[in-house]
Amino acid sequence: MGAFHEQVRGPAVPTPGSRAVRRPLGVGEVVITGGPLGRWQEVNRAASIPLGLVQMERAGSLPNLRRAAGEEEGEFQGYRFQDSDLYKQLEAVAWEHGRAPAAGYEEFVDEAARVLAAAQRADGYLNSHYQVVKPDKIYAELEYSHEMYCAGHLFQAAVAAARVGVGEELVAVARRFADHLVEVFLRGGHDGIDGHAEVESALVELYRLTGERSYLELAGKLIDNRGKGLIKDSGMGPLYAQDHLPVREADTPVGHAVRQLYLEAGIVDVYLETGDESLLECSVRRWEDMVATKTYLTGGVGSRHDGEAFGERYELPPDRAYNESCAAIASVHWNWRLLLATGEGRYADLIERVLHNALAASTSADGVRFFYVNPLQRRNDLVEDAYLGRRRDWFACACCPPNIMRTISSLGHYVATSGDRELVVHQYVPGTIRSGGFELSVATDFP
């Protein structure tokens, strides 16, 4: 993996030869000791992550994979993307293990990896829903199957485990699946793309970890295939899945907000590793439009319940806002990569706004109840609000809770960067920062 990866451990680590003008520090190089971010991390560790581990069994994510492995009887539980909940939970556990090791974390990663390896097909394919429920429909429903979306979260979990020194078998599972995707979608002539972007950024990160360039090439191909009508109609239209225009031609974020922002993170990641300036230019163009016309005061995005989507420019109703918690997290991912690519403080400023508002509101003070949607104002109990607009300990579609957990456990990654003989602090939190052979002590009551 190289000394660079051994020294710098975090969710997004551009290679030494990338176009990054800022370098992320490792999670272990930033220790948050107090303030809101410090409190969130302690609550996440004491309450949220333990809840998530229980839900991996109760909600079906691990049992589904045991069924795919032939280790357990029973019907499939949950949604077709149920595997992704486990992968985000694994990533949360990995980053927390890197931040503050504790008994049980490494064992959870190892046992989950064992189940995944047992469920994985000989050709590398892995998806419990399609293996158990629809084995004859593999890659036949990409418009809504989430097969590559789930793969992407697996890759990110494996990268997290590797960077904190655990999960060797998890990395092996991830690589077998990634190699399978390369054989099918890069070398095998299959031009399909997943209706839910996510795998693009994950493939780049797996390339950064392993040096396997085909992963980067596949990410680039998937991005270039957007806007060619290759995503079949899921009933939501081409804007919903960002398939209305090639990425270099689109001027404003549209459709499902989380999908758009995960796609943007992948676009910037591919720019960082290839130097394709057209990718950075188009992503910055959409960022400027989003911030000026489609972003709430809290930093939240996605104003429509219909399609969990961006609305038109300046369509920002406070009481009907969707503002999905996952969209806030995806915004942090995108802004962080833009910060690494450009060094411009405006991206760190938006991360700050999101962290202290849109993300801060997503979790109860005790860490065991979560918002899926985050309206700025409540006028009445609409049908959607009865389920989504109240904090709950879990959801049938539980994309948000483990996503929140993996973000909180890796918050140290977003505090500071290094550059050419400099250290830049982006988020003001009490703690210590170690970089370049020196230690910086930070004391602040901000905000």
Side-chain angles (χ1 to χ4, degrees), residues 148-149 151-153 155-156 181 192-208 215-226 231 241-242 247 259-270 337:
M148 283 193 269
Y149 166 85
H153 280 299
F155 302 162
Q156 288 174 329
L181 292 179
I193 47 178
D194 199 297
H196 196 311
E198 203 281 339
V199 74
E200 298 84 356
S201 184
L203 280 165
V204 176
E205 209 55 52
L206 196 58
Y207 154 71
R208 289 165 172 165
Y215 304 156
L216 174 62
E217 293 170 359
L218 177 56
K221 178 185 177 182
L222 295 173
I223 288 169
D224 286 342
N225 277 350
R226 293 270 162 182
I231 297 178
Q242 297 78 44
V247 298
R259 301 175 194 225
Q260 175 76 71
L261 271 58
Y262 279 158
L263 176 61
E264 297 292 356
I267 288 169
V268 180
D269 271 331
V270 172
R337 287 156 175 81

Side-chain angles (χ1 to χ4, degrees), residues 69-87:
E71 297 179 354
E72 188 170 314
E73 298 291 330
E75 294 185 1
F76 183 88
Q77 293 175 252
Y79 288 83
R80 58 177 57 88
F81 44 83
Q82 202 75 15
D83 293 355
S84 65
D85 293 347
L86 172 64
Y87 300 149

Side-chain angles (χ1 to χ4, degrees), residues 260-281:
Q260 175 76 71
L261 271 58
Y262 279 158
L263 176 61
E264 297 292 356
I267 288 169
V268 180
D269 271 331
V270 172
Y271 155 74
L272 283 165
E273 300 302 336
T274 66
D276 184 343
E277 294 283 349
S278 67
L279 291 175
L280 179 63
E281 188 276 331

Side-chain angles (χ1 to χ4, degrees), residues 96-119:
E96 187 61 25
H97 181 72
R99 189 184 76 86
Y105 287 156
E106 187 170 359
E107 290 77 5
F108 174 73
V109 173
D110 288 344
E111 173 58 16
R114 184 201 65 77
V115 174
L116 290 165

Side-chain angles (χ1 to χ4, degrees), residues 265-322:
I267 288 169
V268 180
D269 271 331
V270 172
Y271 155 74
L272 283 165
E273 300 302 336
T274 66
D276 184 343
E277 294 283 349
S278 67
L279 291 175
L280 179 63
E281 188 276 331
C282 71
S283 194
V284 169
R285 184 172 70 240
R286 286 186 293 274
W287 184 92
E288 291 176 342
D289 183 84
M290 183 188 78
V291 173
T293 70
K294 296 187 175 183
T295 301
Y296 282 89
L297 182 68
T298 61
V301 293
S303 60
R304 293 183 178 178
H305 284 249
D306 184 17
E308 303 180 318
F310 285 101
E312 298 297 329
R313 290 182 172 103
Y314 305 107
E315 182 187 338
L316 297 166
D319 55 342
R320 294 284 297 146
Y322 201 73

